[in-house]
Amino acid sequence: MIPKKLKILSSLLVLAGVLPLTGCAALQSDIPPPSIYRIEAKPQQNPIMLDLSDTTIMVVTEPDMPAGLSGKDMILHYDNGRRQDRYAAALWADDLSDLIQQFVTNQARATFPNLVVDNPRSGLASRYKLNIDVLDFQPVYAEQASGIPTLVTRIRFTLTGGEDRVLLSDIVLERETKASENNLSVITAGLESQLQDIVTEGLERMAPTIK
């Protein structure tokens, strides 16, 4: 008969041999890390010099976003837009709401070189406030997430000014184009291009109201 102490010692030795192997197995994974995507404003080719007599500040607010779109998950719509899902192996580099806010801020700085553009967190006393309402910013598949998606971007810009925040401009712009292929790099580049077009047009259209 094996003494009780020897049984315990034998069990501990077996566990000592198993646990390191178990720990190593837990660290191994066949799942690749997610691909990271970002959107960035392109340099402005035709900056607009505003007719300003003194230092003028405009703040760009954090965008209002549709349900599910504000975070880092890359969202897609399928079943002709009636259903929503996310790409499993892809993330935005930051919350999409922050990326779009920074995109618009950078584009406004490049478009209006003599206008100080920042966000409300800066604490600057601003004469103008640009609100952004992102209504759509995603690929839409006809059925499942296969085939070639349609890229849809739709944004509302609301510019207010003065102490009473008088409404100066209210613009809704939309772009809808078919992607050239069902590839995430192509899809994100297409959405970025749509955003660039929309923001550029929106800023140019509201320029006459900034004085």
Side-chain angles (χ1 to χ4, degrees):
M1 182 174 180
I2 301 175
K4 186 174 182 181
K5 288 184 178 180
L6 289 179
K7 283 186 176 180
I8 295 172
L9 180 59
S10 176
S11 298
L12 289 174
L13 289 172
V14 170
L15 286 172
V18 170
L19 286 176
L21 293 175
T22 304
C24 290
L27 293 175
Q28 296 174 354
S29 173
D30 295 330
I31 301 174
S35 299
I36 305 298
Y37 296 88
R38 64 174 62 250
I39 49 175
E40 295 179 335
K42 301 294 188 296
Q44 176 57 257
Q45 300 300 319
N46 300 298
I48 300 171
M49 295 302 294
L50 300 170
D51 186 16
L52 303 175
S53 58
D54 56 5
T55 300
T56 304
I57 299 170
M58 179 176 75
V59 294
V60 177
T61 65
E62 183 175 349
D64 290 327
M65 305 286 290
L69 260 69
S70 62
K72 291 185 178 182
D73 288 338
M74 291 189 65
I75 300 301
L76 61 95
H77 284 185
Y78 65 101
D79 193 12
N80 285 319
R82 287 185 286 269
R83 300 185 183 185
Q84 180 175 289
D85 202 349
R86 66 183 181 86
Y87 292 105
L91 294 172
W92 292 112
D94 203 342
D95 287 350
L96 183 57
S97 57
D98 291 337
L99 291 177
I100 291 178
Q101 181 185 27
Q102 193 60 54
F103 188 105
V104 175
T105 300
N106 290 342
Q107 188 67 19
R109 287 170 176 165
T111 302
F112 308 130
N114 59 334
L115 180 68
V116 178
V117 183
D118 216 314
N119 63 64
R121 295 187 298 274
S122 67
L124 297 173
S126 62
R127 185 180 302 175
Y128 298 99
K129 183 177 182 181
L130 178 59
N131 296 294
I132 311 163
D133 188 1
V134 177
L135 306 171
D136 287 292
F137 190 74
Q138 73 280 325
V140 179
Y141 294 85
E143 296 179 0
Q144 299 300 317
S146 58
I148 307 298
T150 297
L151 309 180
V152 181
T153 301
R154 188 162 56 104
I155 298 179
R156 180 180 185 181
F157 300 99
T158 307
L159 180 69
T160 58
E163 294 182 0
D164 297 332
R165 295 302 181 195
V166 176
L167 180 63
L168 301 174
S169 183
D170 190 354
I171 304 167
V172 178
L173 298 172
E174 181 176 1
R175 298 291 187 274
E176 184 172 319
T177 56
K178 195 85 167 177
S180 60
E181 59 180 293
N182 189 20
N183 173 285
L184 274 174
S185 294
V186 172
I187 289 170
T188 53
L191 290 171
E192 180 185 73
S193 178
Q194 289 182 340
L195 182 62
Q196 182 82 42
D197 286 347
I198 284 176
V199 174
T200 298
E201 181 180 344
L203 292 172
E204 289 175 351
R205 287 175 58 175
M206 69 181 69
T209 66
I210 304 175
K211 302 175 182 179

